[in-house]
Amino acid sequence: MYKLMLVDDEADVREGMLGEVDWAGLGIEVIATAENGKEALDMLDRVTPDVVVTDISMPYMNGLELAEKIRELRPTVKIIIFTGFDEFEYARRAIKLHIDEYLLKPFSSQEFTHVLRKVKQTIDEEIDARKNIETLREHYRQSLPLLQQLFLSSLMSRKLTILELHSHSELCGLQLEGGSFIVAVIRVD
């Protein structure tokens, strides 16, 4: 389950959002709620959410300021901003902060659920991509001795330019920075 923090200064809005969505069905757990951006920021390290849903207009620290701080501290956290203001300046700042989703009030629980599904799918795709990268790294690590052996064998059997020598040695994780080398070939019958 993914962890979500809900931030809004109006208790009835928070309660409405909590009650209108099938959180478990989405695979999301609401782990914290906050009344303003400052309170949410204070909780951020303790609750480590995957998603933050925040209103823009709040006292002490608004949603855009909160989003900016979250981007600095936890760039992978997905941020959904909602607001009752249809102002271009808010949308422009949200785009600049790479906000994942932007909702205008009033919105339905179906719209909100759709946005949550999109964000969850994005997180799933990022996790899969990280797993694929780790798998590729492991295959490379396991293949490295063979790559090194093939590279060293090719040094004796064909002529390489200096550029090829440097790029191949770097790829194989070998340091060949000497001015000259001595090669010995031993064949055991």
Side-chain angles (χ1 to χ4, degrees), residues 4-8 14 18 30-35 39-40 43:
L4 181 136
M5 178 191 291
L6 180 59
V7 187
D8 193 300
R14 289 192 312 270
L18 290 172
V30 179
I31 55 164
T33 60
E35 294 182 12
E39 183 182 343
M43 282 192 253

Side-chain angles (χ1 to χ4, degrees), residues 29 35 102:
E29 176 188 7
E35 294 182 12
Y102 188 89

Side-chain angles (χ1 to χ4, degrees), residues 40-55:
L41 192 59
D42 291 342
M43 282 192 253
L44 191 65
D45 283 334
R46 263 182 305 155
V47 297
T48 62
D50 300 301
V51 180
V52 172
V53 178
T54 183
D55 189 10

Side-chain angles (χ1 to χ4, degrees), residues 67 74-75 92 98 104 110 131 139 155:
R74 300 209 182 277
R92 187 181 70 74
H98 304 288
L104 283 176
Q110 290 84 11
K131 285 180 185 174
H139 287 311
L155 286 176

